[in-house]
Amino acid sequence: MAQSMEERALFDQVHEALTQALLTGSPEEGIAKLESLLASNPKAQQVYLRYVTQTDILRLWGASNANRSSAIGSDVDPEVMLELLEEAERIEQRAREEREARTLALQNAAQSLHLAESSSPSAPRSRSTWAVSVAAWSTAALLLLMLRFVVLPKEPGGLPIAAARRPVATISDSVDAQWFAVGDADEPTAPGGANAPLRPGRQDPQPSGAGARIKSGRYKLTAGLVQLRLDSGAHAILEAPLEIDLQGKNRVRLVQGKLVGRVPPEASGFTVETSLATIVDLGTEFGVEASPKIDELHVHVFEGGVTVASRSEAGGADQAGEPLSLSAGQAAFVASNRAAVIGQIDQDRFMRRLPTTIQYVGVVEGEGMHLRSPALSKPLDVDGDDVFGSAGYYFFNVREVVDRKGYAPAYEKMLFEKPGFLRGSPEFPDGLAASRGVFSVGGRQEYLDMVDPRAPDNGGSGAVKSGVLTYPADEGNPQDAAPGSEIEICSLALGDDLPPTGFRLGVFTDNADLPETVPAEIRIRINGVEASVATESKDLDGDLYLFDIGRPQQGDVIEIDLRVQGKYASIGGVTFDVP
């Protein structure tokens, strides 16, 4: 685009002022010239914004002085410089907010006085309004430019990396997420390829899969949930609808929506800015809900503590002059027209964890004998060793003597290797006596043989007789079970050390001598989430029905339910494998 003579002259003046500010011994004079120029000429403001994103003067200055300790030091710490950069960006953000607030106040005043011409978009700003805001903004911009061009390298597109949207977080999980990077209407455009700031008003779809790196900048989440791990180690769950500005590795600005922060000690100090207050964590779990349309903010502390520094209408601290301190169990309500109110937390207001998922994967039919033997290939074995139950297993009433029929309590003759992430042993419903609740049967000649799980090499030798955990559908059973009804057969509580990838649960059935003992349906429940499958065969050769458990949490309880088909409903065991 061709420049007019006026624009060229203004560009030269901006260039001269910046050169004097950075390359001579009188920086104060150069900054003063720049501020005077910008305060007196709106056209110069536009030229300066273009200069900020396009000029190479500071990069050249940095290249020529990179080795001079008198200029920037010979042992520059990039992490320190990035922190300074983030501080400069925050100064710039606050200055923008102040300009917007003053502009709105002027427009409201003009409307009330019926001075339409004063609120016209074409009317120039007053000298005092621009001068006040530019003094803070241009100084921050100078620091911003110096850090961007001097300390950090350039990308192939020509934009300094520091000026670009640099990665600050990683998606650790998401649920049905639809979100977009949003161009800030106050953000000048610049060259630089994929890492450049977005054009004002532009929205770019963003990846939501686990492991995706997320850059600094403004985002809108229009649907679903996203869980971020910031580079500081802080975790944040974002719930749609939400708009957020990722300002750094340990700082965000919540424009609107709900956020839950979970902050380990190494990320203490994680900060959430809003239009009404700034929340600083002290090593904790807390929720923030910002509702700018009605000027309300809610802060709920679930664990640990936070400080809440409210902003007055003038943009300062709250009326008391000191930040509020909230501890576990406390909540604060902040509004623009009243003092903060402290109350009790609402446990149901925020999504503190992404929901557990259960998905039926498929069935392995006719391999009951070789569940624990790598002799046969097993495509559905998630860990790839062709042995089901590598992370643990429970097989009920396994007998080494094949000529003994027996009824026993559910836990008797249970052959198991307890998974490290389970808490305690399986729990069984009321009733241990035969025909009066869950009990186990084993040793019948017709029951399926299986490779002994204890065999050192899990080879084809050392077979044992499988058994079942069963529930009768006769009169008087504790769950009032009858053909067609659903009963709980056992439950498993999850402890700590849960695999972050989740695990695959197998339910072993169709290994008994009576077809009517095979359940009509298997259902897995966890905290209100469930998945089920109708059993497919009754050929008594052993089937393993597999379910993937995603996002398991300590304290979750897995409930295994069966739909009764005949006189009994039975399973032979359960297996656990970790991807």
Side-chain angles (χ1 to χ4, degrees):
M1 179 182 296
Q3 287 184 323
S4 66
M5 293 183 62
E6 179 188 7
E7 289 176 327
R8 181 64 203 179
L10 289 172
F11 183 91
D12 290 342
Q13 293 178 62
V14 169
H15 178 82
E16 180 182 352
L18 281 172
T19 301
Q20 185 173 7
L22 295 174
L23 302 181
T24 71
S26 55
E28 294 83 1
E29 184 177 347
I31 293 175
K33 284 183 179 180
L34 180 61
E35 292 180 343
S36 175
L37 175 64
L38 298 178
S40 62
N41 192 335
K43 193 74 164 180
Q45 300 163 14
Q46 299 176 10
V47 172
Y48 177 62
L49 290 178
R50 289 201 301 270
Y51 187 102
V52 164
T53 59
Q54 295 175 5
T55 185
D56 281 343
I57 182 173
L58 295 177
R59 177 180 59 82
L60 296 174
W61 176 80
S64 63
N65 291 278
N67 295 322
R68 300 181 190 175
S69 59
S70 60
I72 58 173
S74 58
D75 56 350
V76 175
D77 184 346
E79 287 296 322
V80 173
M81 288 301 179
L82 285 176
E83 292 294 336
L84 292 174
L85 172 62
E86 292 170 1
E87 178 61 27
E89 290 173 337
R90 289 193 290 273
I91 294 172
E92 188 176 349
Q93 172 69 23
R94 287 195 292 270
R96 284 203 302 266
E97 293 173 355
E98 291 174 4
R99 289 203 309 277
E100 293 171 356
R102 292 189 181 96
T103 300
L104 181 60
L106 287 173
Q107 291 174 347
N108 291 339
Q111 291 173 359
S112 65
L113 294 173
H114 305 287
L115 297 177
E117 66 276 14
S118 298
S119 62
S120 170
S122 61
R125 299 187 188 188
S126 68
R127 177 187 178 96
S128 60
T129 300
W130 173 263
V132 170
S133 60
V134 79
W137 185 86
S138 60
T139 302
L142 284 173
L143 173 59
L144 189 64
L145 283 169
M146 186 183 302
L147 292 170
R148 287 174 176 172
F149 285 89
V150 173
V151 179
L152 300 175
K154 290 174 68 68
E155 293 205 342
L159 189 71
I161 290 176
R165 298 170 59 242
R166 64 188 181 279
V168 295
T170 302
I171 293 181
S172 55
D173 205 349
S174 66
V175 178
D176 301 328
Q178 296 180 22
W179 73 325
F180 307 85
V182 181
D184 191 331
D186 287 330
E187 186 177 66
T189 58
N195 288 337
L198 296 175
R199 297 185 185 91
R202 177 178 170 183
Q203 295 190 20
D204 278 358
Q206 296 296 298
S208 59
R213 291 287 283 158
I214 303 301
K215 299 171 183 175
S216 58
R218 196 154 175 164
Y219 296 85
K220 281 185 178 179
L221 179 65
T222 59
L225 301 163
V226 169
Q227 181 171 283
L228 295 178
R229 184 187 185 280
L230 282 81
D231 289 352
S232 65
H235 295 264
I237 294 178
L238 314 180
E239 181 179 353
L242 171 140
E243 187 167 351
I244 194 169
D245 188 356
L246 304 181
Q247 296 183 334
K249 66 181 182 181
N250 209 34
R251 190 181 191 97
V252 303
R253 183 171 185 268
L254 182 62
V255 180
Q256 65 174 355
K258 294 182 181 180
L259 173 153
V260 171
R262 187 176 296 108
V263 186
E266 63 269 21
S268 181
F270 172 63
T271 300
V272 179
E273 287 189 0
T274 73
S275 60
L276 293 177
T278 297
I279 300 96
V280 180
D281 114 278
L282 305 175
T284 184
E285 182 187 4
F286 65 98
V288 181
E289 180 180 6
S291 304
K293 290 185 178 179
I294 55 176
D295 272 345
E296 289 184 0
L297 175 71
H298 294 263
V299 183
H300 293 231
V301 181
F302 304 110
E303 298 177 10
V306 302
T307 62
V308 181
S310 302
R311 303 178 190 273
S312 68
E313 292 184 0
D318 61 8
Q319 294 180 355
E322 295 291 337
L324 295 173
S325 293
L326 300 179
S327 56
Q330 290 185 317
F333 170 74
V334 182
S336 59
N337 58 352
R338 70 176 96 173
V341 177
I342 297 180
Q344 298 298 310
I345 62 171
D346 180 353
Q347 294 282 2
D348 299 324
R349 192 180 191 98
F350 295 91
M351 184 70 70
R352 296 177 59 185
R353 50 169 283 189
L354 271 61
T356 299
T357 61
I358 311 173
Q359 181 178 5
Y360 172 64
V361 178
V363 59
V364 178
E365 295 188 70
E367 293 188 14
M369 172 66 184
H370 297 286
L371 288 182
R372 294 286 302 166
S373 167
L376 299 178
S377 175
K378 300 178 181 64
L380 292 182
D381 181 32
V382 72
D383 57 20
D385 64 359
D386 290 329
V387 175
F388 286 113
S390 296
Y393 55 82
Y394 292 92
F395 292 108
F396 302 109
N397 212 318
V398 172
R399 302 281 181 172
E400 297 180 48
V401 180
V402 298
D403 59 354
R404 179 177 182 272
K405 177 180 178 180
Y407 297 88
Y411 48 77
E412 185 171 316
K413 294 293 183 179
M414 185 168 64
L415 189 62
F416 67 93
E417 182 179 317
K418 180 178 176 294
F421 49 81
L422 286 192
R423 185 182 64 210
S425 299
E427 296 288 335
F428 306 101
D430 293 338
L432 293 176
S435 299
R436 290 294 179 267
V438 174
F439 60 95
S440 62
V441 184
R444 293 178 64 96
Q445 181 65 37
E446 299 84 357
Y447 282 15
L448 186 71
D449 287 343
M450 62 181 296
V451 171
D452 191 338
R454 299 162 297 183
D457 59 356
N458 287 320
S461 60
V464 294
K465 187 64 67 176
S466 64
V468 294
L469 182 67
T470 194
Y471 195 94
D474 57 2
E475 184 177 353
N477 63 73
Q479 296 189 60
D480 294 324
S485 65
E486 192 170 283
I487 57 97
E488 177 187 346
I489 193 75
C490 72
S491 61
L492 306 150
L494 302 182
D496 52 11
D497 295 328
L498 284 160
T501 55
F503 58 90
R504 182 163 289 180
L505 172 71
V507 179
F508 182 42
T509 188
D510 194 20
N511 65 309
D513 60 345
L514 299 173
E516 59 267 29
T517 66
V518 180
E521 184 180 40
I522 299 171
R523 187 182 306 274
I524 308 298
R525 304 178 191 268
I526 304 178
N527 296 341
V529 182
E530 63 180 51
S532 63
V533 59
T535 55
E536 298 179 4
S537 66
K538 311 291 186 294
D539 52 10
L540 311 181
D541 59 358
D543 302 325
L544 189 69
Y545 292 86
L546 298 166
F547 299 82
D548 278 349
I549 312 298
R551 305 189 197 98
Q553 298 285 327
Q554 182 177 354
D556 281 352
V557 176
I558 301 174
E559 182 180 312
I560 302 177
D561 294 343
L562 308 177
R563 186 168 301 282
V564 180
Q565 177 176 247
K567 187 177 180 181
Y568 299 93
S570 304
I571 62 173
V574 291
T575 62
F576 303 85
D577 291 276
V578 176

